[in-house]
Amino acid sequence: MQLYNKLSAKEREALLEEAGEDRLTLSFYAYAKIGNPELFRNHLFIAWDQMDVLGRIYVAHEGINAQLSVPAKRFAEFKAFIDDIYFLENVRLNIAIEHDIKSFLKLKVKVRKKIVADGLNDDTFDVTNKGVHVDAAKFNELINDPNTILVDMRNHYESEIGHFQGAITPDVDTFRDSLDIIEEDLKEHKEDKNLVMYCTGGIRCEKASAYYKHRGFKNVFQLEGGIIEYTRQVEKQKLENKFIGKNFVFDHRRAERISEDVIAQCHQCGKPCDTHVNCANEACHLLFIQCEECAEKMNNCCSDDCKEIAALPYEEQKALRKGKGASNKIFKKGRSEVLRFKH
C-alpha cells in the first residue's frame, strides 16, 4: 500500500508534459471534528493517488485545507469521492481562474496541529460564531460604504502584487502576525464601523472573523470564497471589479491575473513588475519580484553572491550546502537586505 510519493518533482513534470492532458487547479477547506487525522490522511492519499490527483493538503483534528490539481477527465470521480465524506458533501470548490497542468508536482497530505497556522487558542472563544459571509455584489456594496473598514488578511508579499481598492494591507510575514496588529490599529472602531475582511479563498477569514467578534467587534463581514470566488462572480454577473493586480496563489503558478494593473515593482531595479520568482541558488530560494531584464542580468538570482554560487557545478553547490540548515531567507518571503527596492 503506497502512502507517500515515489516520483520526484522532475519525474512527475516529465510525465505531465508527456500526457498533455487538461488539469483543474482548485482548493477547498472545511472545519470539522476529525477523530483520527492520520487515518483520514491515509484514506485521502490512497484514493487521490489512484486518481492522479496532486497537491498540498493539511489535515488536523479541526478539519482539512486542500489545494489540488485534478485531471479534468477524472473530476466527476473526484467530486463523487469527496461528496461521500459527510463533512465534505457539496463543499464549495474554489476553481482557479487560470489553469496550469504543472501547478502541483506532488501529492502531499500532511497531518498538522491546525489547518491554518493562526497562533490562536481555540478553547478561549467560540470559533463557530463567525462573521457574516457576503457574496461579490454585497461585498462591493459594503466597501463602497464610508462606514466600512476593509482589511486584507493576507501577507505582505501577497497584497504587494494585488489587493482590493482602499484596503488596509498589513506589512506582515504570516497570518498570525496580522491578528493583533489589526486589532490594535482598529480598536477605536469596534462598535461604529463595519469590519470587512478578505483573503485568497476564505479560510483565513473563517477563524479571524470569529476571533474579532470575540474581541468585541460588532459588525464583522467576510468575503465568501475569497478573491477566487469573487472574481468568478464578477465575471459571471458582470459586476464592477474592485480588485487590482494579481491574486497570489501557493502553487507553481504563483499568481492569477485579475486586472491588467501592475501595482508592484521589481525588487532589484524598481521597474513596474509583479512576477514572483525564487532565487536560482537553491541554498537561498528567496521569493522576490524580478523583471525579465534583471532575471537575465542576474541569472535568476537575488544577489551577486547567489549568482556566483548558482554558476558553480551542481556537486560543488551541494558540497557548500552540506551540513547547513535551510536558510531563513526561505521563510522570509520577499524580504532581504540584498533587495534594493524591498527590505
Side-chain angles (χ1 to χ4, degrees), residues 12 15-16 19-26 47-55 68-80 93 95 99-104 106-107:
R12 176 67 70 177
L15 288 175
L16 292 173
E21 296 178 345
D22 291 340
R23 300 181 69 90
L24 302 175
T25 302
L26 58 89
W48 287 347
D49 185 55
Q50 292 173 351
M51 295 181 207
D52 196 25
V53 171
L54 304 172
L68 306 167
S69 170
V70 180
K73 66 182 182 182
R74 304 193 74 166
F75 177 75
E77 180 184 358
F78 167 81
K79 183 69 167 64
L93 300 178
I95 309 295
H99 297 283
D100 187 320
I101 64 171
K102 295 181 287 186
S103 58
F104 289 99
K106 290 186 177 183
L107 175 60

Side-chain angles (χ1 to χ4, degrees), residues 101-140:
I101 64 171
K102 295 181 287 186
S103 58
F104 289 99
L105 299 175
K106 290 186 177 183
L107 175 60
K108 296 181 180 180
V109 188
K110 298 184 177 183
V111 175
R112 292 283 179 89
K113 289 184 178 180
K114 289 195 169 190
I115 56 176
V116 174
D118 52 35
L120 297 174
N121 181 355
D122 294 354
D123 294 332
T124 62
F125 66 102
D126 183 0
V127 297
T128 66
N129 184 24
K130 298 176 289 190
V132 177
H133 290 64
V134 296
D135 61 14
K138 181 62 177 179
F139 182 81
N140 279 358

Side-chain angles (χ1 to χ4, degrees), residues 155-170:
N155 305 324
H156 74 92
Y157 55 88
E158 299 174 79
S159 59
E160 183 178 10
I161 62 170
H163 53 76
F164 281 102
Q165 299 170 29
I168 295 172
T169 56

Side-chain angles (χ1 to χ4, degrees), residues 88-312:
L88 294 180
E89 185 177 7
N90 294 321
V91 68
R92 186 191 63 250
L93 300 178
N94 281 332
I95 309 295
I97 305 302
E98 301 172 354
H99 297 283
D100 187 320
I101 64 171
K102 295 181 287 186
S103 58
F104 289 99
L105 299 175
K106 290 186 177 183
L107 175 60
K108 296 181 180 180
V109 188
K110 298 184 177 183
V111 175
R112 292 283 179 89
K113 289 184 178 180
K114 289 195 169 190
I115 56 176
V116 174
D118 52 35
L120 297 174
N121 181 355
D122 294 354
D123 294 332
T124 62
F125 66 102
D126 183 0
V127 297
T128 66
N129 184 24
K130 298 176 289 190
V132 177
H133 290 64
V134 296
D135 61 14
K138 181 62 177 179
F139 182 81
N140 279 358
E141 180 184 325
L142 276 168
I143 63 178
N144 282 335
D145 185 344
N147 203 44
T148 288
I149 298 174
L150 178 62
V151 180
D152 191 324
M153 298 305 300
R154 302 172 303 152
N155 305 324
H156 74 92
Y157 55 88
E158 299 174 79
S159 59
E160 183 178 10
I161 62 170
H163 53 76
F164 281 102
Q165 299 170 29
I168 295 172
T169 56
D171 186 24
V172 295
D173 293 318
T174 67
F175 173 53
R176 68 169 68 91
D177 291 339
S178 69
L179 294 171
D180 291 340
I181 291 173
I182 292 169
E183 182 184 3
E184 177 62 25
D185 288 348
L186 304 182
K187 63 184 179 182
E188 302 299 324
H189 301 291
K190 288 186 175 183
E191 297 192 9
D192 66 332
K193 297 285 187 180
N194 297 319
L195 173 59
V196 180
M197 61 186 72
Y198 69 90
C199 58
T200 307
I203 188 170
R204 283 174 274 192
C205 293
E206 290 290 309
K207 193 70 69 71
S209 67
Y211 176 72
Y212 285 133
K213 289 187 72 173
H214 166 70
R215 299 298 297 174
F217 286 88
K218 301 300 183 184
N219 305 302
V220 181
F221 302 85
Q222 62 192 85
L223 179 58
E224 173 75 21
I227 300 163
I228 298 172
E229 180 61 19
Y230 173 88
T231 304
R232 189 169 304 285
Q233 291 181 18
V234 162
E235 291 181 355
K236 185 177 181 180
Q237 301 173 31
K238 307 300 182 187
L239 303 173
E240 181 185 359
N241 175 33
K242 299 280 191 176
F243 190 92
I244 53 175
K246 284 182 173 179
N247 179 29
F248 186 96
V249 294
F250 293 89
D251 59 58
H252 289 283
R253 296 172 300 148
R254 295 197 179 94
E256 298 178 317
R257 181 159 297 286
I258 308 301
S259 82
E260 295 305 312
D261 304 274
V262 177
I263 65 171
Q265 60 183 354
C266 174
H267 288 166
Q268 292 176 314
C269 72
K271 173 184 175 181
C273 178
D274 55 12
T275 301
H276 274 107
V277 299
N278 287 107
C279 179
N281 174 15
E282 291 192 18
C284 173
H285 205 63
L286 176 72
L287 180 76
F288 68 108
I289 297 175
Q290 186 179 53
C291 68
E292 292 181 358
E293 290 84 352
C294 288
E296 182 176 355
K297 176 184 175 182
M298 299 297 296
N299 288 343
N300 303 305
C301 292
C302 70
S303 67
D304 289 329
D305 288 344
C306 282
K307 182 180 176 181
E308 289 180 11
I309 294 172
L312 295 173

